[in-house]
């Protein structure tokens, strides 16, 4: 089992910055991919950014150039630095961890409870 806890959400003005953190605990040594997802009111959850254990990253087109994801394997943490925030970035942000298993078993998905980010003047 893996437990995830997000922190760092809050209210920020358009154009501002915010950093989210995710702390993983439990059987963390098996985590391969960590990711940030977000869900705005009335919308489906969407992928924001991913980072592998090796530090390879990937971003949604809507956040490229504005958000930076990073991971510290020694501390079992992941961060999302969000710059130039827009009202459209308002959502609950979720931390996700993927643990692979031996074929043919599918990987395990773990989720944090989420943290609210509100971008408003």
């Amino acid at each position: 089992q893996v437990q995830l806890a997000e922190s760092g959400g809050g209210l920020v003005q358009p154009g501002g910055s915010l950093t989210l953190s995710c702390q993983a605990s439990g059987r963390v040594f098996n985590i391969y991919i960590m990711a940030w997802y977000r869900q705005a009111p009335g919308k489906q959850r969407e992928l924001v950014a991913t980072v592998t254990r090796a530090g390879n990253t990937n971003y949604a087109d809507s956040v490229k150039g504005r958000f930076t994801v990073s991971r510290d394997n020694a501390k079992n943490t992941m961060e999302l630095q969000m710059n130039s925030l827009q009202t459209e970035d308002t959502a609950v942000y979720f931390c996700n961890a993927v643990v692979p298993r031996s074929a043919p078993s599918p990987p395990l998905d773990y989720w944090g409870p989420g943290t609210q980010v509100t971008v408003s003047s």
Side-chain angles (χ1 to χ4, degrees):
Q1 288 285 345
V2 173
Q3 294 80 43
L4 303 171
E6 305 94 341
S7 61
L11 173 64
V12 63
Q13 292 187 342
S17 298
L18 207 59
T19 299
L20 304 182
S21 296
C22 174
Q23 177 70 60
S25 59
R27 299 177 66 87
V28 296
F29 52 88
N30 284 335
I31 296 175
Y32 174 54
I33 291 176
M34 295 189 76
W36 288 100
Y37 285 76
R38 67 186 181 186
Q39 187 166 18
K43 295 188 176 181
Q44 289 192 334
R45 191 172 297 189
E46 64 175 356
L47 179 65
V48 175
T50 64
V51 57
T52 68
R53 177 169 284 277
N56 297 312
T57 59
N58 196 21
Y59 298 91
D61 288 343
S62 58
V63 306
K64 279 182 182 177
R66 300 189 298 121
F67 291 10
T68 302
V69 63
S70 60
R71 179 173 172 177
D72 187 328
N73 293 323
K75 296 181 179 179
N76 301 314
T77 58
M78 175 179 62
E79 288 194 346
L80 185 68
Q81 173 67 44
M82 304 184 293
N83 298 323
S84 302
L85 282 162
Q86 305 166 357
T87 56
E88 306 86 81
D89 297 315
T90 295
V92 178
Y93 284 70
F94 297 91
C95 176
N96 167 259
V98 179
V99 175
R101 295 191 292 177
S102 300
S105 299
L108 294 173
D109 261 315
Y110 296 95
W111 295 91
T115 185
Q116 176 71 47
V117 172
T118 302
V119 185
S120 175
S121 55

